[in-house]
Structures are given as C-alpha cells and as structure tokens.
Amino acid sequence: LSHWDDQAEHQREIDNHKLAEKKRKAELLETSIRLGEIKRPRKGRLGPETWKLRGAARPAAEIYDFDLRYKCPHMKEFADHKEKQGRMRNVLTTCKGQFGIEESDWREEKNSKSVPQPY
C-alpha cells in the first residue's frame, strides 16, 4: 500500500454505517410485524416514472438517437479520477525516514529536529 484517499475511505465508512442502520431498521420492522404489533405497510400506487407512454406523449429522447442532456461517461470518469489523484497522499513521501523506528526514538529525534534517513 503506497497510496490512500481519506475522502474515499470516509465515504466507505459512511456507506457501511448507513447499510448497517438500514438492516437494523428492516429487522426491527420484521420482528414487529411477526409479533403482530403493526401491519405490513402497503406498497401503494405506482408513480409516473413506471408508466409506458405511447405516441405523442413519449419524450423525444426515447424516439430519436440524440439527447442534448448527454454527459459523456468517459469524461466524467476522467474528471473524477483527476479529482481523486489531487486528494491522494503518497505514504512513502509522507513518512519518509520514519519507517522502522521505535516510537520512543522517533519522539526524541522529532524534538531534536533531525529527521532520520534510511541508508
């Protein structure tokens, strides 16, 4: 491991926390339904995003090959990668000269402002 991204790691932790919270709520709902405390919630009416439109009601993007709102996925991926590269930190340069040193020695040398170099 020579590179890491703090923001991506933080986002992964948030996603894991949200997923665990969602699972906990689903389990709580299932147990309360099984015990008969509450009734199973109804699905309800399907919204317009599921409707299949025909004729003149269909949007032009479904009929024709072009769409003015098109965003190139490759350019978006390139921009995301460039942004991530700006956030990345190189472990080898960040901790240069601090590998293989006992913690007590490192503190003493840090106070004396001499950075130990591996030769």
Side-chain angles (χ1 to χ4, degrees), residues 20-45:
E21 187 67 24
K22 190 175 181 181
K23 283 183 181 178
R24 188 187 65 76
K25 285 184 180 180
E27 288 175 4
L28 183 64
L29 179 67
E30 282 298 319
T31 55
S32 58
I33 288 173
R34 257 189 268 125
L35 295 175
E37 296 171 357
I38 60 171
K39 291 183 178 179
R40 185 173 298 277
R42 290 186 179 184
K43 296 255 181 183
R45 177 180 163 268

Side-chain angles (χ1 to χ4, degrees), residues 41-88:
R42 290 186 179 184
K43 296 255 181 183
R45 177 180 163 268
L46 297 177
E49 63 275 357
T50 60
W51 297 347
K52 289 287 183 188
L53 301 176
R54 299 172 191 260
R58 287 175 62 191
E62 291 181 12
I63 300 169
Y64 302 110
D65 291 346
F66 66 90
D67 187 6
L68 299 176
R69 298 165 295 167
Y70 177 76
K71 302 281 188 217
C72 180
H74 304 292
M75 292 303 294
K76 183 179 183 324
E77 185 178 331
F78 177 73
D80 292 345
H81 179 73
K82 189 175 179 184
E83 181 183 330
K84 185 176 180 179
Q85 286 299 103
R87 292 190 313 256
M88 295 289 266

Side-chain angles (χ1 to χ4, degrees), residues 8-24:
E9 186 175 343
H10 180 68
Q11 186 62 37
R12 238 186 337 267
E13 289 174 3
I14 290 173
D15 292 343
N16 289 342
H17 180 69
K18 284 182 181 177
L19 184 63
E21 187 67 24
K22 190 175 181 181
K23 283 183 181 178
R24 188 187 65 76

Side-chain angles (χ1 to χ4, degrees), residues 2 9 17 41 54 57-58 73 77 90 94 98 103 107 112-113:
S2 63
E9 186 175 343
H17 180 69
R54 299 172 191 260
R58 287 175 62 191
E77 185 178 331
N90 190 337
T94 305
Q98 298 172 7
E103 191 172 344
R107 281 197 201 122
S112 66
K113 295 184 181 181

